[in-house]
Amino acid sequence: MRTGVIGLGAMGAGMARNLAGAGLLACVWNRSAEKAKALAAELEVTVAPDPASLARHCDVIVTCVSRDVDVLEVIDALLPELEQGKVVMDCSTIAVETARAADERVRATGAVFLDTPVSGGREGAEAGQLVFMAGGDAAMVERLDPVFRAMGKQVTHMGPVGAGQATKAVNQIMAAGINQAVTEALAFGQASGLDMDKVVEVVGGGAAANWFLQKRGGSMVRGSFEPGFKLALHQKDLSICKQMLADLGVALPIVEMTLKHYQRLIQEGHGDEDISALYRAKRELFERGNLKAL
Amino acid sequence: MRTGVIGLGAMGAGMARNLAGAGLLACVWNRSAEKAKALAAELEVTVAPDPASLARHCDVIVTCVSRDVDVLEVIDALLPELEQGKVVMDCSTIAVETARAADERVRATGAVFLDTPVSGGREGAEAGQLVFMAGGDAAMVERLDPVFRAMGKQVTHMGPVGAGQATKAVNQIMAAGINQAVTEALAFGQASGLDMDKVVEVVGGGAAANWFLQKRGGSMVRGSFEPGFKLALHQKDLSICKQMLADLGVALPIVEMTLKHYQRLIQEGHGDEDISALYRAKRELFERGNLKAL
């Protein structure tokens, strides 16, 4: 399976490296050409001059870009060279509806589209430890097992096209709420003068135990917000969730609240910090002694 | 160490049983006498006619009641028989200020007061697997190690009197936010038509992993809300947090929002269900197609 990767950001670069390590990578393409050239030289693969050329030389096309509009633009650029026997797996985080639109266009060429968003972040991409949530043809997901295994530790087939993105949205909404929970509770603990290392340990041993507390609790109470998962990217994902919810006629309190808090933090220049920078806003409540600021 | 237990509810009864099993229980008292009689007969210990008599016959007095006002009432009833060498350890969940008031009254008699709230719930109390967050004299916490070990798996000394309650408040605020996170995200997943067993598994394997999702995710999506931790009790604890925060001049968004949601669920008759019954309110948003209801 000759595989090509389109989009060589923090995620895509790690995934391309692991595909190359498994002997599956044939070709890469990136909007800014320098990144593609450097990585292609390192991995001894070809840089495609454009997405269509990459599609011509590959059976599996992995796309990993940022926004819904970018995904559709890349898909459109691929279409002239797609045909039966080729598959596009999109690892971007986009709306369910966008994934369905991409599927329709790809399917018209005889090729197959899968939505395969991931969790695990940059570390997961680099270590080949991503978790894939796959939507689309189940047999194709199985056929691509060597590709998934090169990049991740787990792939779960969630249902038809869009089911992968819906599952990713569940994950991002839950992550937002857990961020609210952990930052708010620890800010109270710190304002109360508690030994926060002990608090993180004791609370992490009971019914409030969670991955985020364990991984980010200690650093946030020391005022360190190295990503991790960039706040501005979580904001983008939650905006997609908000749009999907609006299509259902629904607004959700955790999603709305977190978008509002993140927006303020981004305006204050914290968009490139880890999402745990929400702790800044919670701490401020105690410093100012009122809720109005948040 | 002759130990007495005051307050034989879901928590206190389990704790008394485990103290009896360790050969430490001498005496019990409960506001409604029948409960005390039944448990005393089972455990072959004495029922004290009143809290003062219990204090007279015991070195360690464990209190485990519901509200701040009940704790102070019990403390006042103990005072005539307290003296140097005796210790009162209060396992109730109350405000930091109330714990400090109790400490002042007990200290005036020469006895020692510790605030030792627990996490682990009814199951933890029955299994002797509670986690204690202790505030007060560190040497006394160490001296009481056999008593703690009879009832729990862990005791952490958090600082002076009140530090145990402050830590418990951190725990309860975090639990509220995690409940918001998990119920909101899973309600979206269910409304999207996903296979929820797969969602719980996949999301539970990544950065949104948490104890509550693992233990209550499967049951809530099937509409089962057996406690667990009763929603009305969490509401009581969060009301205490709200009061402590008001004393600091602060209102916290997760605390405020959860109190509002729980209040509505209690009015609708769900106070005796598990806190995961918050899922009912989130599901309703999708059924009604708007946020106004929550």
Side-chain angles (χ1 to χ4, degrees):
Chain A
M1 272 182 284
R2 293 170 56 86
T3 304
V5 175
I6 290 180
L8 303 170
M11 300 299 293
M15 292 157 76
R17 273 196 193 90
N18 285 311
L19 284 168
L24 294 169
L25 190 69
C27 199
V28 295
W29 184 82
N30 193 61
R31 196 185 291 178
S32 55
E34 311 84 64
K35 258 194 197 171
K37 273 184 205 156
L39 191 71
E42 176 197 327
L43 303 179
E44 300 179 350
V45 297
T46 313
V47 181
D50 50 58
S53 311
L54 183 141
R56 188 159 54 245
H57 294 102
C58 294
D59 314 304
V60 181
I61 300 120
V62 178
T63 57
C64 198
V65 299
S66 269
R67 298 170 306 161
D68 289 50
V69 60
D70 299 328
V71 171
L72 292 180
E73 202 180 292
V74 163
I75 294 287
D76 285 342
L78 295 171
L79 292 178
E81 298 291 341
L82 292 182
E83 60 186 8
Q84 202 169 358
K86 291 188 190 282
V87 56
V88 179
M89 49 176 281
D90 178 41
C91 301
S92 320
T93 293
I94 57 173
V96 170
E97 283 311 314
T98 309
R100 288 184 184 144
D103 174 51
E104 227 171 88
R105 299 180 197 183
V106 170
R107 212 155 11 93
T109 69
V112 171
F113 178 86
L114 302 175
D115 59 315
T116 56
V118 297
S119 81
R122 176 202 284 260
E123 298 104 310
E126 283 168 0
Q129 292 290 305
L130 293 171
V131 171
F132 288 88
M133 306 158 232
D137 183 62
M140 181 57 86
V141 171
E142 205 161 321
R143 227 187 90 197
L144 291 186
D145 196 58
V147 175
F148 286 118
R149 263 192 296 133
M151 300 185 283
K153 63 177 176 183
Q154 186 189 321
V155 53
T156 305
H157 181 255
M158 298 303 303
V161 167
Q165 294 297 348
T167 306
K168 180 72 189 278
V170 170
N171 191 79
Q172 299 310 72
I173 294 171
M174 201 177 296
I178 288 174
N179 193 7
Q180 292 284 356
V182 172
T183 54
E184 183 159 320
L186 294 188
F188 168 77
Q190 198 156 38
S192 303
L194 293 172
D195 176 330
M196 293 310 291
D197 286 333
K198 281 189 183 178
V199 170
V200 168
E201 193 197 323
V202 171
V203 172
N210 64 86
W211 183 97
F212 187 70
L213 172 66
Q214 193 191 332
K215 298 289 183 186
R216 306 282 182 260
S219 53
M220 76 174 75
V221 299
R222 282 188 287 279
S224 166
F225 307 107
E226 288 289 307
F229 180 31
K230 280 189 188 173
L231 193 142
L233 281 179
H234 199 193
Q235 176 81 341
K236 184 212 66 145
D237 292 354
L238 290 175
S239 303
I240 293 169
C241 294
K242 184 184 166 81
Q243 185 53 55
M244 287 197 277
L245 288 160
D247 293 344
L248 296 168
V250 173
L252 290 179
I254 288 287
V255 172
E256 297 293 315
M257 186 166 102
T258 308
L259 279 167
K260 196 179 74 174
H261 295 169
Y262 281 3
Q263 187 54 41
R264 219 195 81 206
L265 287 160
I266 290 169
Q267 278 164 2
E268 289 171 358
H270 304 301
D272 285 338
E273 293 182 345
D274 185 69
I275 61 167
S276 57
L278 179 60
Y279 192 70
R280 292 180 181 279
K282 305 275 185 177
R283 280 289 290 153
E284 227 172 66
L285 291 178
F286 288 94
E287 282 150 20
R288 297 193 188 180
N290 70 69
L291 182 65
K292 300 305 176 292
L294 201 60
Chain B
M1 272 181 283
R2 292 171 56 86
T3 304
V5 175
I6 290 179
L8 303 170
M11 300 298 293
M15 293 158 75
R17 273 196 193 90
N18 285 311
L19 284 168
L24 294 168
L25 190 69
C27 200
V28 295
W29 185 81
N30 193 60
R31 196 186 290 178
S32 55
E34 310 85 63
K35 259 193 197 172
K37 272 184 205 157
L39 191 71
E42 176 197 326
L43 303 179
E44 300 179 347
V45 298
T46 312
V47 180
D50 49 58
S53 311
L54 183 141
R56 188 159 54 245
H57 293 102
C58 294
D59 314 304
V60 181
I61 299 121
V62 178
T63 57
C64 198
V65 299
S66 270
R67 297 171 307 162
D68 290 50
V69 60
D70 298 329
V71 170
L72 291 179
E73 201 180 293
V74 162
I75 295 288
D76 285 342
L78 295 171
L79 292 177
E81 298 292 340
L82 292 181
E83 61 187 9
Q84 202 168 358
K86 292 188 191 282
V87 56
V88 179
M89 49 177 279
D90 178 40
C91 300
S92 320
T93 294
I94 57 174
V96 170
E97 282 311 313
T98 309
R100 288 184 184 144
D103 174 52
E104 226 171 88
R105 298 180 197 182
V106 169
R107 212 155 10 94
T109 69
V112 171
F113 178 86
L114 302 175
D115 61 316
T116 56
V118 297
S119 82
R122 176 204 282 259
E123 299 103 310
E126 284 169 0
Q129 292 292 305
L130 293 171
V131 171
F132 288 88
M133 305 158 230
D137 183 62
M140 182 56 86
V141 171
E142 204 161 322
R143 227 187 90 198
L144 291 186
D145 196 57
V147 174
F148 285 117
R149 264 192 296 133
M151 300 186 282
K153 63 177 176 183
Q154 187 188 323
V155 53
T156 305
H157 181 254
M158 298 304 305
V161 166
Q165 294 296 348
T167 306
K168 180 71 190 278
V170 170
N171 191 78
Q172 300 309 72
I173 294 170
M174 201 177 294
I178 288 173
N179 193 7
Q180 292 284 356
V182 172
T183 53
E184 184 159 319
L186 294 188
F188 168 76
Q190 196 156 42
S192 303
L194 293 171
D195 176 331
M196 294 309 292
D197 285 333
K198 281 189 182 175
V199 169
V200 168
E201 194 197 322
V202 171
V203 173
N210 64 87
W211 183 97
F212 187 69
L213 172 66
Q214 194 191 332
K215 298 289 185 186
R216 305 281 182 260
S219 53
M220 76 173 75
V221 299
R222 282 188 288 279
S224 167
F225 308 108
E226 289 289 307
F229 180 30
K230 280 188 189 176
L231 192 143
L233 281 178
H234 199 194
Q235 175 81 342
K236 184 211 66 147
D237 293 354
L238 290 174
S239 302
I240 293 169
C241 294
K242 184 184 164 82
Q243 185 54 54
M244 286 196 279
L245 289 160
D247 294 343
L248 296 168
V250 173
L252 290 179
I254 287 288
V255 172
E256 297 293 315
M257 186 166 100
T258 307
L259 279 166
K260 197 179 73 172
H261 294 169
Y262 281 3
Q263 186 56 40
R264 219 195 81 205
L265 286 161
I266 290 169
Q267 278 164 2
E268 290 172 356
H270 304 301
D272 285 338
E273 294 182 345
D274 185 68
I275 62 168
S276 56
L278 179 60
Y279 193 69
R280 292 180 181 280
K282 304 274 185 178
R283 279 289 289 154
E284 227 173 67
L285 291 177
F286 288 94
E287 281 150 21
R288 297 193 189 181
N290 70 68
L291 183 66
K292 301 302 177 294
L294 202 62

